[in-house]
Amino acid sequence: MSATIDDELWAALGDPTRRRLLDLLLADGHGTATSLSDRMPVTRQAVAKHLVVLERAELVVARKEGREVRYVVNDAQFARAVRQLATVGAAWDARLRRIKKIAESIQALRSMD
Amino acid sequence: MEYGTIEREIHIDAPPDVVYEVITTPEHIAQWWGFEAEFPAVPGGEGRMTRPVRDGRGQLVVPISVVEADAPRRFVFRWVHPEDQPATPENSFLVTFELEPAGGGTLLRLTEAGFREVGWEAATLEAYYRDHSAGWDQHLPSLAAYTARVARA
């Protein structure tokens, strides 16, 4: 799994409004920007924007229904996101190893001067 | 499972000033993190990190807000808060780098406060619904399926 996917999921889940939207969608099974904004202290436009971010991270799937777009949680991706919460430590391990490598190669060059 | 704070340390055979530079400058961040970073590495420095999203439809933009920048000892920042809002403990993750001279090199310590600290823990969704949702019984089937998936993960 690439670091890009980690960061994209992480950023999507980092926002409290988006976590709340996922909670509501999980609980209700589905929702639209209108139905979800009725239950949250944010505008329909803001909800729609957050849903697009969640869709881009593949955490939800959009289905066109007449003039509305209905969203459901993408179970597979959500389960993966939950699994990835357990791998955040591993992502940092990899970053720290790269920091070490870069710093040590800079130091090696310095020592040669 | 690591839903809470992550703590790591690593020894680096380079002095703290070199390590600090690697951690804080865009040129190096691109190498170790893969983000194009634009932020002033000073306390209160606000900026963003970007990278292409995987489906090629634009950029992933991640706000970053520098909390402490004490070269070459400490670098602390918050990230992933909404772009139009200031970073708070509820809407962002706090990352702390601590650098300590050790044996001619550096002991680098990292902590990142996680979902437990921002108040959303996938593993405790069940408790969340019990506390916050009136129609608990209706939600039970989907939650049971969900927790089964978590348990298998």
Side-chain angles (χ1 to χ4, degrees):
Chain A
M1 204 167 290
S2 82
T4 308
I5 295 175
D6 286 346
D7 289 329
E8 209 168 328
L9 270 175
W10 201 236
L13 292 172
D15 183 274
T17 304
R18 289 197 285 271
R19 291 197 296 272
R20 179 74 185 131
L21 284 172
L22 279 174
D23 288 343
L24 288 174
L25 287 171
L26 273 173
D28 298 350
H30 56 83
T32 64
T34 306
S35 76
L36 291 163
S37 63
D38 285 347
R39 302 177 57 184
M40 294 178 61
V42 287
T43 64
R44 189 197 165 279
Q45 283 76 14
V47 167
K49 234 172 91 181
H50 285 301
L51 286 168
V52 168
V53 176
L54 289 173
E55 191 194 358
R56 210 176 277 161
E58 294 173 29
L59 286 162
V60 300
V61 179
R63 208 174 52 226
K64 196 110 172 89
E65 226 170 61
R67 279 189 301 176
E68 282 265 58
V69 182
R70 190 164 293 278
Y71 290 87
V72 294
V73 171
N74 176 354
D75 286 346
Q77 180 76 341
F78 187 74
R80 229 172 87 210
V82 171
R83 277 199 303 277
Q84 286 207 0
L85 297 185
T87 65
V88 177
W92 274 112
D93 286 336
R95 288 172 202 147
L96 289 173
R97 279 196 301 273
R98 289 192 289 268
I99 288 170
K100 176 180 166 76
K101 211 174 135 191
I102 296 164
E104 289 180 352
S105 56
I106 293 172
Q107 183 59 16
L109 282 173
R110 269 196 189 176
S111 314
M112 287 189 330
D113 292 340
Chain B
M1 286 223 165
E2 294 177 281
Y3 298 114
T5 298
I6 292 156
E7 295 178 23
R8 291 289 189 275
E9 58 179 52
I10 190 168
H11 178 84
I12 301 176
D13 287 323
D17 64 303
V18 171
V19 176
Y20 190 88
E21 192 193 316
V22 171
I23 290 168
T24 56
T25 55
E27 174 201 349
H28 297 304
I29 290 169
Q31 295 298 310
W32 65 262
W33 204 346
F35 274 113
E36 192 180 313
E38 296 165 58
F39 64 87
V42 296
E46 303 278 343
R48 59 207 315 237
M49 301 196 295
T50 52
R51 75 191 321 167
V53 296
R54 66 184 181 282
D55 63 8
R57 282 187 299 170
Q59 295 267 310
L60 172 64
V61 179
V62 182
I64 178 166
S65 174
V66 178
V67 179
E68 285 178 57
D70 179 16
R73 284 179 289 271
R74 269 169 77 81
F75 185 62
V76 183
F77 63 87
R78 292 190 168 279
W79 69 307
V80 307
H81 44 284
E83 266 201 287
D84 52 357
Q85 289 171 28
T88 68
E90 288 75 37
N91 71 5
S92 62
F93 299 111
L94 183 71
V95 175
T96 303
F97 283 106
E98 287 177 293
L99 297 73
E100 197 181 289
T106 304
L107 183 65
L108 176 63
R109 280 200 199 87
L110 164 101
T111 59
E112 180 172 41
F115 277 107
R116 185 167 291 147
E117 285 69 21
V118 298
W120 189 76
E121 198 179 339
T124 59
L125 268 181
E126 188 174 331
Y128 177 87
Y129 281 115
R130 200 173 280 144
D131 292 339
H132 294 90
S133 176
W136 165 249
D137 290 341
Q138 294 165 15
H139 309 324
L140 202 55
S142 67
L143 271 170
Y146 163 72
T147 41
R149 283 198 302 270
V150 174
R152 278 199 304 274

